[in-house]
Amino acid sequence: MRLLRKQGHDVRVVMTAAACEFVAPLTFQALSGHAVHSELLDAGQEQAMSHIHLARWADVLLIAPATADMLAKMAHGLADDLLSTLYLAAECPVVVAPAMNQAMWAKAVTQDNIRRLHQHGVRFIGPAAGAQACGEQGLGRMEEPVEICRLLLAQQIPGMLSGVKVVISAGPTREPLDPVRYITNRSSGKMGYALAQAAVAGGAEVVLVSGPVNLSPPVGLAFIQVETALQMYDATLTHCRDADVYIGAAAVADYRPQHIVAHKIKKDGDIASILLEKNPDIIAAVAGLQPKPLVVGFAAETDDLENYAKHKLQAKNLDMIAANWVGKAEGGFESDSNALQVFWPGGQQTLAMTDKHTLATQLLYLIAEKLHEKNPVKNS
Ligand code: CTP
């Protein structure tokens, strides 16, 4: 509940009678900011939101923990309390995170129910193996909440971007000085690669233009390896001509050495300074294309994040910019996790610190929403 809220989701809680024995509904009311639903026929609650209305309101129904009893009810269409009725009424994806004793999980009748639910399109997260509340060991523990959140978001994405062409640039660029030396930056490429993977999962046709990084290209996309900013410029512009979305996640070197010396520069020479010239701004060039794809930039800042990000959004004619702090203890270039402050003309949203894969999925949600606003027919 807390993790989903932290990631900006609106959550309504339904508790069964057994759940109310473990946790006071007031706890979930306080955490969710909404009244908790527990009765199928409760005049007061029905007024606020009927079970049918609740089923229509949700984008996803997550049952966590899902007991053997609840799975059995769902598998057989029983509807004798609010939660099981909600399941029957739900037209949105239904995800369960089972939790029960290992022997109950392994029991043939439970396994039959699970098979049935799989056939009915119910998605499962877990259970995990390990020590159980009853003192036994085995398969049946509820998956860790952080993992449930991550998989829940990843499962929502299929189809969201089908028919959409997404070009993503990632990693640093290398600007050579001579055959053995270059100027570069600390970008690891992890965010761009996570975005590419999430876009593939969303059904998009993905082109990943990557500078030199220590990552294997995700499967299911067109991969273009480049080294310099000029090479990245050429590859990106070529592929963006018919793209729906461009995400500039690369840390493009702003300058390159004016001359590339053909041989290794010797230390006893008299070169004391390097003359630099400006590289073209790739994202600004993409934003100047006609027709223009939806253009999403990144801004890595060490200070005054909001002002710099908003300035870049406007100056480069972007549709959205995702800003993050770099050079701090947590998050940023080489880290596996990050937090983003996302701005677009007239709006903004904070995506809290999490792993880059979850963050990529969350950012793609926002991008898909913007794409839908821009082009409601193609993406409906
Ligand atoms: N970018 C680009 N081409 C460049 C420089 C930056 O496409 N030559 C893109 C990046 O991929 C990112 C956005 O512009 O999406 C912002 O990059 P950033 O380095 O933060 O901004 P700069 O414009 O380079 O400004 P500064 O270095 O002064 O902060």
Side-chain angles (χ1 to χ4, degrees), residues 9-28:
H9 300 285
D10 195 5
V11 186
R12 306 281 170 135
V13 180
V14 171
M15 295 179 77
T16 59
C20 295
E21 298 282 322
F22 282 93
V23 189
L26 256 183
T27 308
F28 280 113

Side-chain angles (χ1 to χ4, degrees), residues 248 250 252 254 280-283 297-300 312 316:
V252 186
D254 290 323
D281 194 305
I282 301 171
I283 205 162
F298 270 77
K312 284 174 191 175
K316 301 191 189 206

Side-chain angles (χ1 to χ4, degrees), residues 98-100 102 105 125-132 138-144:
M100 65 194 75
Q102 50 84 24
W105 173 259
I125 297 178
Q132 302 200 302
L139 204 59
R141 276 170 69 111
M142 190 179 84
E143 189 52 90
E144 292 299 327

Side-chain angles (χ1 to χ4, degrees), residues 24-336:
L26 256 183
T27 308
F28 280 113
Q29 182 174 323
L31 286 174
S32 67
H34 297 290
V36 167
H37 304 261
S38 50
E39 304 291 333
L40 185 54
L41 300 169
D42 177 320
Q45 288 190 13
E46 287 290 295
Q47 226 173 21
M49 198 180 245
S50 74
H51 61 278
I52 299 296
H53 187 183
L54 198 54
R56 296 293 165 269
W57 170 85
D59 296 312
V60 60
L61 172 62
L62 168 70
I63 304 179
T67 60
D69 177 58
M70 185 51 66
L71 296 182
K73 277 189 194 174
M74 289 164 68
H76 296 277
L78 298 184
D80 61 352
D81 65 1
L82 179 59
L83 185 56
S84 50
T85 309
L86 200 58
Y87 166 67
L88 275 193
E91 289 171 329
C92 61
V94 178
V95 181
V96 293
M100 65 194 75
N101 167 273
Q102 50 84 24
M104 291 169 76
W105 173 259
K107 197 67 147 192
V109 68
T110 307
Q111 290 297 316
D112 281 346
N113 290 337
I114 291 162
R115 256 189 303 280
R116 261 180 107 111
L117 290 175
H118 274 295
Q119 282 164 6
H120 296 169
V122 173
R123 300 167 189 175
F124 280 70
I125 297 178
Q132 302 200 302
C134 51
E136 293 182 12
Q137 290 276 339
L139 204 59
R141 276 170 69 111
M142 190 179 84
E143 189 52 90
E144 292 299 327
V146 66
E147 202 43 22
I148 294 178
C149 279
R150 194 179 70 74
L151 292 168
L152 188 65
L153 288 173
Q155 290 188 359
Q156 291 320 296
I157 213 166
M160 190 174 77
L161 293 170
S162 65
V164 173
K165 178 175 174 184
V166 181
V167 178
I168 299 173
S169 62
T173 64
R174 266 183 198 168
E175 310 301 325
L177 272 166
D178 72 9
V180 294
R181 302 181 180 96
Y182 51 79
I183 299 172
T184 191
N185 58 62
R186 291 184 185 277
S187 169
S188 63
K190 285 175 186 164
M191 192 66 220
Y193 276 54
L195 281 162
Q197 208 172 355
V200 170
E205 175 196 346
V206 181
V207 179
L208 176 61
V209 181
S210 175
V213 294
N214 282 321
L215 300 169
S216 314
V219 291
L221 49 71
F223 182 71
I224 299 163
Q225 172 87 62
V226 296
E227 191 160 316
T228 65
L230 288 178
Q231 290 168 355
M232 188 173 270
Y233 178 91
D234 286 343
T236 304
L237 268 282
T238 302
H239 287 279
C240 276
R241 292 198 191 281
D242 62 345
D244 300 291
V245 179
Y246 171 63
I247 308 176
V252 186
D254 290 323
Y255 292 91
R256 63 179 181 275
Q258 212 170 51
H259 302 290
I260 303 173
V261 182
H263 55 81
K264 186 183 169 200
I265 301 167
K266 304 305 284 182
K267 69 166 168 280
D268 50 6
D270 54 4
I271 295 185
S273 56
I274 304 163
L275 278 178
L276 300 173
E277 69 182 312
K278 229 179 190 147
N279 274 324
D281 194 305
I282 301 171
I283 205 162
V286 174
L289 289 175
Q290 277 309 330
K292 178 194 169 196
L294 187 104
V295 183
V296 182
F298 270 77
E301 307 292 349
T302 55
D303 53 343
D304 209 3
L305 180 130
E306 181 162 347
N307 278 334
Y308 280 131
K310 284 183 170 168
H311 173 74
K312 284 174 191 175
L313 179 73
Q314 203 200 3
K316 301 191 189 206
N317 190 23
L318 310 182
D319 298 291
M320 188 184 275
I321 192 156
N324 66 292
W325 295 102
V326 283
K328 302 252 170 190
E330 213 184 344
F333 270 0
E334 287 153 316
S335 169
D336 286 329

